[in-house]
Amino acid sequence: EPEVTQTPSHQVTQMGQEVILRCVPISNHLYFYWYRQILGQKVEFLVSFYNNEISEKSEIFDDQFSVERPDGSNFTLKIRSTKLEDSAMYFCASSVPTTTGSSYEQYFGPGTRLTVT
Amino acid sequence: DAKTTQPPSMDCAEGRAANLPCNHSTISGNEYVYWYRQIHSQGPQYIIHGLKNNETNEMASLIITEDRKSSTLILPHATLRDTAVYYCIVRLYQTGANNLFFGTGTRLTVIP
């Protein structure tokens, strides 16, 4: 069964450093998402992406964050200057449009645990 | 998107049906009910969704009340691997990416 993959599984970085989290969505999917989950808290939406542009973003997704689909397979989340509070599990997800252009089921990757020290 | 209310935790004996309730009294006519689960910090996993009719798939059944103000997710024969946090999400069905807004969910513990 096709699945969303994410690398690395765990990233440790120092405060102020840039990090790039990578995701390979399912190949025929067209909608892409990033979510995060701070330890012990709920899963929070960050950003959605379609047709090479951001569809929607939350208040969390400020100027420190950016997303990119650099080629036909990868989808990346960049944090420009990490802060301690960026420590969290980051999940990538993708979905495929239905015949009406919407989507129901999102497939999530296993996550990247980001630790900022 | 309408707000949902779920009990924080539930237990279920292995092999028995697990019935997870969700209240969504402010749901509007074109909002769907989705259920996802998260097994121990893994990525959330889609289970099922519905609008107003009851739905069943290989994982679960979804029962939506006639007034659509509440629903119940049923796992017919719970196994230990069904121990997870279950999220009920109400979401407008619209063209394009449909972002999900997770609440705190119900932590289901399946007991041997």
Side-chain angles (χ1 to χ4, degrees):
Chain A
E1 185 177 324
E3 58 184 20
V4 175
T5 59
Q6 292 186 242
T7 54
S9 57
H10 191 190
Q11 173 90 48
V12 181
T13 189
Q14 288 190 327
M15 197 166 50
Q17 296 296 304
E18 174 184 286
V19 294
I20 297 176
L21 309 183
R22 291 183 166 79
C23 168
V24 179
I26 295 173
S27 61
N28 64 330
H29 287 191
L30 298 180
Y31 301 127
F32 312 114
Y33 314 81
W34 284 101
Y35 296 81
R36 81 171 186 189
Q37 186 174 32
I38 295 170
L39 187 64
Q41 298 187 23
K42 59 186 180 182
V43 178
E44 299 174 291
F45 165 72
L46 293 178
V47 66
S48 57
F49 191 86
Y50 170 66
N51 202 24
N52 281 320
E53 60 183 25
I54 290 174
S55 299
E56 192 173 342
K57 59 183 180 179
S58 70
E59 291 179 353
I60 302 168
F61 194 88
D62 61 21
D63 292 343
Q64 291 298 311
F65 292 88
S66 62
V67 289
E68 192 178 31
R69 187 154 162 82
D71 52 42
S73 59
N74 290 285
F75 180 51
T76 62
L77 174 69
K78 182 193 291 187
I79 309 175
R80 233 178 303 280
S81 177
T82 50
K83 304 188 283 283
L84 293 175
E85 53 264 39
D86 293 327
S87 294
M89 182 75 91
Y90 288 80
F91 295 108
C92 172
S94 67
S95 62
V96 61
T98 65
T99 53
T100 61
S102 185
S103 63
Y104 291 118
E105 178 178 355
Q106 289 186 25
Y107 292 79
F108 284 77
T112 292
R113 180 169 299 284
L114 177 65
T115 302
V116 182
T117 62
Chain B
D1 298 319
K3 180 178 168 55
T4 62
T5 304
Q6 299 178 252
S9 64
M10 291 182 65
D11 292 340
C12 177
E14 188 179 16
R16 304 296 294 269
N19 297 282
L20 293 99
C22 179
N23 284 316
H24 31 78
S25 59
T26 60
I27 193 170
S28 64
N30 52 358
E31 287 182 315
Y32 279 69
V33 180
Y34 296 82
W35 283 84
Y36 280 76
R37 73 180 182 183
Q38 187 176 26
I39 298 172
H40 189 55
S41 297
Q42 296 178 20
Q45 177 189 25
Y46 166 84
I47 301 173
I48 200 167
H49 73 275
L51 181 63
K52 53 184 177 182
N53 297 319
N54 297 338
E55 302 287 345
T56 295
N57 63 20
E58 65 278 3
M59 287 183 70
S61 295
L62 174 60
I63 308 298
I64 302 174
T65 57
E66 195 168 337
D67 63 7
R68 301 187 68 237
K69 292 185 177 182
S70 66
S71 60
T72 301
L73 178 75
I74 301 172
L75 307 178
H77 306 286
T79 70
L80 298 179
R81 287 180 294 180
D82 292 322
T83 292
V85 179
Y86 287 77
Y87 300 99
C88 169
I89 300 168
V90 169
R91 186 68 174 91
L92 196 65
Y93 176 77
Q94 60 188 23
T95 300
N98 282 279
N99 319 323
L100 298 171
F101 294 93
F102 291 82
T104 52
T106 296
R107 181 173 298 277
L108 175 70
T109 303
V110 180
I111 301 168

